[in-house]
Every structure is written in structure tokens, then in C-alpha cells.
Amino acid sequence: MMNFGIIGCGVIAFTHAKALEQLREEGCILHACCDILEEKADQYAKEHQVPHVYYNYHDLLADRDVDIVCVCVPSGIHGEICIAASEAGKAIVCEKPMEITPERIQAVIRTIEKNHTKMQCIFQRRMMPAAIAVRQAIADGKLGRICLAEAQLKYYRDQAYYESAGWRGTWELDGGGALMNQGVHGIDLILWMLGDEIDTLYGQAATLGRQIPVEDTAAAVLRMKKGAICVIDGATTAYPGFSTTFAIHGELGSVAFNDEGILEWKFIREEDAPPRPDMGERVGGAKSAVDIGIYGHICLLRDIACAVKEDRPPLIPPRNADLAVRAICAVYESTRTGQVISFAGKEQENL
């Protein structure tokens, strides 16, 4: 058995609980939960039959029966808890983003690697069969040279969403707005599928429809090292929330998909085309923060349990999970300076 402890009993913690319920017969047990709001932790424990409840995460980390810690707190506290969990000898599952600045991410990576900690970063969209198929088609050269890539990340979150929790839509704890909270999933996915490094980036982020200090609307143009142009737009002002859409256009064909299905799967050399993939289970999340499928979480929680048992790296270790945050922070820098941001010399990892 692998005993999981969840730190932070907010919205995403319910996704983790539902995933662990599906994995219970495989030996993944929700053993403990923790939240600084006692009534929140108590209610969560009652709803999910969690036997051990804590109100200070250090107490949960001191529980010798906890094998794996799920970090489900606000983004700006991820690093602090991941470092503490690593020092306590726990394996870790960290919700996106790992941290809210590249510098703070590096501090986490240094600690994880020093302690040889198993750590899984949650980018569940990478588990989508369509995304896996597109990444493989690009790697195999089926699309030829990639010319244009697009990620349309048009979410809807009303003002009440931001007011429902004090950390949302803040620089200090959310690290940004539409890009850092919602869009980070899609930005990670498009970069992961391309399997390329960023050369330059120009972006603009603005607050146009919500009363928050961070952006609710943004767009960026990235030039990749191998020459492709990648266009990303993200918002939480797109009523009623649109299915996230990804497209890759190469000299030998085009592929495109959204949360509902494959939109295009066309290759000039039809006899050499890879099989059209299935979509798998629904991802969701565009219209509401609670409308998120659990398939990707099931895959990643199962994998971290197996990684601990088999003493191997998990599917998404920290060094493969920081490029999206680097890109988002570059959009913010480009917005402040009005300049194109060069990634030359900056540490990057081919995801």
C-alpha cells in the first residue's frame, strides 16, 4: 500500500480524492489531510472518510505512515511545502505550477535532487491520448518541419470566482492570472508536444474585465529554436468558456484537437500517416474550476506510487515541468518592458 496525505483541502484536493478512490484497489490510500482552516479539513475528511486530520502541514509531514504528499495549496506556497516534504523524506505530488517564478522553481529542484526525492508534477493534459499521439508524430517527423503551432486557452472565470478565495488573482500567491493559473496547462502542453526550446518571446498581458491586480487576458508569440512560430492566447474573460484548442501545422500536414475531439488529422503522405488517436476521457475546466476530469490525475497518481515502489523517476519530474512558468514569466517581463525576450543562455529542458 501507498498512503497519501493531502495538504490543502480546496477545490483541486477533491480531484485528488476522487482519483485516489479509483486507485484504492491498487493500494493507493487517502490516509491523511490537512488545512489551516480546521472546519475545512474536518469537512473534507468526513466527505472522503480520511482517518487522520491535521491543521498544520508539519504535523502531517511528521506522520510516519504518510508515504506520498499531495501539495494542493495556493501556487505561491508550493515551493515551501515541497521543500519541507522532501526534507521529511516524503515522495511528492505537486499541483501546477510547481512554483510561480523560475528562481523559486530552481530552489525546489535543488532540494529534490539533493535528497533524491520522487516528485510528480501535475500536468494532466500530457496524459491525453491525442497529445501523446501528436508529440510522437512530431518526434517521428510525420509532419515534417513544424511551421506554426497554436494554443487557444479561452477560459471563463467571473469576479465571484476571484473573490471566493483571497489568494486567487494575486501576484503573491497565484503568481499571475489567466496564464499562470488556467493557461499554464495548455502552455505546458503545446511546448511538450513540440519538444523544442524557446528562442524568443513577445507577449502582452492586460487586466480588462476583472477587478484583480493580475492579467485576465493575454497573448504571446514564441519563436522556437527549430524555427516554428508558436502563438498562444489565454483569458478568463471568454464567456462562456471555450474548449481549449491546439493546432500544429507542418510542411507535411496538420493536426488539431480540443477537449472534445480531433478537429484535423491530415497528412500529405496518407500512406505514411500515423493512426488517428482516440481522445480518451474529457479534460474540462474551461467553464468552471470544478469541471475538471480525473483521468490525468489517476494516471499521474498511479505513476508516482509505482515510481516509489520501483525506485524510478516519475513521468513528470521537476526538471521536466518548469518551461511553462519560464514562458509565462517572460510574457510578464515583455509586457512590462515592451521588449522581445530572448531565451538564449537561459536554462531550458526539452520536455
Side-chain angles (χ1 to χ4, degrees), residues 44 80 84 102 104 133 138 143 168 190 196 216 224-225 228 252 266 289 306 312 337:
Y44 184 87
E80 170 191 327
R104 287 159 73 166
I138 292 172
L143 289 164
R168 287 180 175 151
I190 194 74
D196 196 0
D216 57 25
M224 308 305 292
K225 284 285 182 70
L252 297 179
K266 300 290 187 181
C306 292
R312 63 163 174 81
T337 64

Side-chain angles (χ1 to χ4, degrees), residues 64 129 140 150 179 198 201 294 324 345 349:
R64 295 183 180 181
D140 291 343
E150 300 170 279
L179 294 184
I198 303 170
L201 178 152
I294 65 171
E349 181 84 10

Side-chain angles (χ1 to χ4, degrees), residues 23 25 27 33 60 71 115 138-139 172 186-187 189-190 194 216 247 254 261-262 270 273 291 298 321-322 349:
L23 294 170
E25 292 187 1
C33 66
L60 184 145
V71 180
N115 294 329
I138 292 172
E172 297 79 12
I187 294 169
L189 191 67
I190 194 74
L194 288 172
D216 57 25
S254 294
I262 302 296
E270 292 187 6
D291 183 34
I298 290 173
D322 70 337
E349 181 84 10

Side-chain angles (χ1 to χ4, degrees), residues 38 46 60-61 85 97 110 178 256 275 286 314-315 336:
E38 295 186 10
K46 180 180 179 181
L60 184 145
L61 296 180
R110 285 193 296 270
L315 283 171
R336 290 192 301 269

